[in-house]
Amino acid sequence: MNPESQNPERQARELLAFYLDAGADALVGEEPVDRMADPPPPERGRPDSAAVQLGGSGQAALTRHAPSLDRRSLPSGGAERGPVGRSEPPPVAEGRLRAPASPETAVMAAREAARNAKTLDELRALLADFEGCALRATATQLVFADGNPHSRVMFVGEAPGYDEDITGRPFVGRSGKLLDLMLAAIGLDRTTAYIANVVPWRPPGNRTPTPQETAICLPFIRRQIELANPDILVCLGGPAMQTLLGTKEGITRSRGRWFPYNTGSREIRALATFHPAFLLRSPLQKRFVWRDFLALKKALAN
Ligand code: URA
């Protein structure tokens, strides 16, 4: 027997790496939780301290913030997030956290919070404090935006992945590097483009955000677009396109088409194209994105 394989520290690191690969990437508590059991009644005269609190403004809040595993100390990084080839991980990362009272309550709270933001900085601060989306508890940090908020063009992806979660900046992993090359091909970079995601927290294990999580985050990204006020919105991939443009069509049919997009203050033009993570897996599709980016360049020249 190899004595090194008996090393407890090594065994612990390998176990953590195994959990991480399986998508369980957040520390949720010391004790197992029986989710089938009835919740204990709250103490008399005292509100249930772990439950959702609705503040005076109606803003849903989770009262406990579960710590994330420090993935930087683990032996292997997470996979690049992208629109295809993701596996659904087990339902992890709740611990003693409670979900918001209902997704509808959380959506209403998100709408109210987003409406209250008068600037992008205010919106970022409100989002950082918003506890109505459970993804916040499992993510390392908020991934709000990168690039120039005064740019005429705004790119929006689906949700951050591993590298974005660690750095707090959208599109910095492998697909982000490809996005940078795509931008450079039409003379753009992060000083002339603004970049964000529909969902600003990394879903555990890079899983697809649930429809509820997306619905809760939607008022924030819509307000972010309104406040950034670009002339052109570019949706990266089908999920961002379907969420923001409200189409059910697939990205293959819809990419390259111009859509009207109402920011809430004015109508702008929106374009959808393939997600860079998809292009990493299907490089032949780059020719279509090249066409889309040339159309974008032309539109920006006008
Ligand atoms: N994929 C996305 O959709 N967004 C990121 O920020 C990174 C990868």
Side-chain angles (χ1 to χ4, degrees), residues 107 110-111 114 123 214-224:
V107 170
R111 284 198 194 126
L123 186 69
T214 301
I216 292 166
C217 294
L218 184 56
F220 290 109
I221 183 64
R222 287 190 59 87
R223 184 73 175 140
Q224 193 171 352

Side-chain angles (χ1 to χ4, degrees), residues 80-82 143 157-161 164 169-172 175 197 236 275 277:
E80 176 74 10
R81 88 162 284 110
V143 179
E158 183 184 20
E164 292 76 21
R169 292 170 59 215
F171 284 98
V172 293
S175 59
N197 282 301
L236 296 171
H275 192 289

